[in-house]
Amino acid sequence: MKRNVSLEEISDGRLYGYNDMVKADCHGCRGCYQCCTGMGNSIVLDPCDIWRLQAGTGKTLQELLEEGRVELNVVDGCILPNLRMTGKDERCSFLDSSGRCSIHESRPGICRLFPLGRCYQDGDFKYFLQVHECRENNRSKVKVSKWIDTPRQQEAHRFLCGWHELLGRIERQVTGREDSAQARDWNLALLKIFYFEPYSTDQDFYKQYQERLRRFDELWEHTSVERQ
């Protein structure tokens, strides 16, 4: 999800790589779950998040939607799933009665980052520290690679860059014609190929993703030729 703000407004003005130290460690949050409430539809899920959630909960995206744990919303022209907030205080649907994350081991990438964010530029990205989002005032320095807690980080990085590019490609196609049949078809293809078809949780995610990407790119090329 894009944010139309300057880094100077929301960060400490620095960009961080995996080996950099950043003041992000919230010491286990100590019972605080403020960042898990009132987030609206901003916890957008990518295909790797769906694979993780399916592995952690045993539920497909369709089942999570039916349970009200996840919902669909339009994000920059694309229809994408996000974690659903519920109740008067808009708590994440995966918080338990004690305000702790019930899916911590399989939590989405955006949750793993917090209070960091990603800044994409020229086909790549770096991390930035959101200075107004966490109320813990005594955060400690931690290496970025340790904080984001994501295995096989080089592959994860390549996946995120490619996924960002793919969503940008769709956004450019549908901008200004969001209600068209073309926009509907691309969003249906995106959801079907990358989200609604269940993943094999005992198989490597990145191999499955590459196969789905191949199918999507073939559809993209075929449709582009037809419209010429």
Side-chain angles (χ1 to χ4, degrees):
M1 176 179 288
K2 295 178 180 177
R3 296 175 66 183
N4 295 317
V5 294
S6 68
L7 281 178
E8 288 74 15
E9 295 175 28
I10 62 174
S11 78
D12 61 1
R14 292 187 56 193
L15 293 176
Y16 297 89
Y18 289 107
N19 293 319
D20 291 328
M21 302 292 290
V22 60
K23 232 176 183 181
D25 191 343
C26 308
H27 310 293
C29 297
R30 296 171 177 163
C32 173
Y33 55 92
Q34 183 182 29
C35 64
C36 302
T37 65
M39 299 302 290
N41 64 350
S42 65
I43 313 301
V44 179
L45 306 174
D46 63 36
C48 189
D49 293 330
I50 296 299
W51 177 80
R52 282 198 194 104
L53 284 172
Q54 188 179 330
T57 66
K59 305 288 180 64
T60 63
L61 174 60
Q62 184 62 51
E63 291 170 320
L64 293 172
L65 285 165
E66 291 170 358
E67 290 181 358
R69 303 277 196 166
V70 173
E71 61 187 2
L72 298 177
N73 279 290
V74 178
V75 180
D76 301 323
C78 299
I79 300 175
L80 299 171
N82 61 266
L83 294 188
R84 182 168 175 260
M85 304 291 129
T86 63
K88 185 170 66 173
D89 57 351
E90 295 188 354
R91 293 162 53 111
C92 173
S93 60
F94 285 105
L95 281 181
D96 64 21
S97 58
S98 301
R100 306 301 286 173
C101 179
S102 65
I103 54 164
H104 192 262
E105 292 301 315
S106 53
R107 67 197 185 282
I110 289 178
C111 303
R112 290 169 186 269
L113 294 181
F114 189 86
L116 302 182
R118 298 190 197 103
C119 178
Y120 287 88
Q121 190 172 21
D122 300 326
D124 202 352
F125 70 84
K126 285 200 170 185
Y127 297 94
F128 64 91
L129 177 64
Q130 303 179 83
V131 293
H132 305 300
E133 301 297 331
C134 177
R135 71 181 187 185
E136 171 60 59
N137 294 319
N138 296 310
R139 294 191 300 269
S140 299
K141 283 192 173 183
V142 62
K143 186 179 283 191
V144 170
S145 59
K146 181 179 180 181
W147 181 249
I148 62 176
D149 187 26
T150 301
R152 300 164 61 183
Q153 289 180 2
Q154 288 186 342
E155 288 175 279
H157 190 102
R158 286 194 295 269
F159 157 70
L160 288 168
C161 289
W163 181 246
H164 182 77
E165 186 278 329
L166 186 149
L167 293 181
R169 201 194 320 168
I170 296 173
E171 180 186 358
R172 290 189 292 273
Q173 284 290 321
V174 305
T175 296
R177 42 185 179 273
E178 287 82 359
D179 296 327
S180 68
Q182 181 186 14
R184 179 203 62 205
D185 291 347
W186 281 126
N187 274 301
L188 286 175
L190 180 78
L191 288 170
K192 179 178 185 296
I193 293 173
F194 293 108
Y195 288 104
F196 279 105
E197 290 184 17
Y199 286 89
S200 297
T201 55
D202 59 347
Q203 296 182 17
D204 181 71
F205 164 74
Y206 298 110
K207 290 182 179 178
Q208 294 181 76
Y209 172 75
Q210 287 299 323
E211 170 58 22
R212 294 176 189 226
L213 179 61
R214 181 192 62 78
R215 289 162 48 201
F216 186 86
D217 283 343
E218 285 181 354
L219 178 63
W220 184 275
E221 291 298 326
H222 178 71
T223 305
S224 296
V225 169
E226 281 188 341
R227 288 177 175 157
Q228 286 180 355

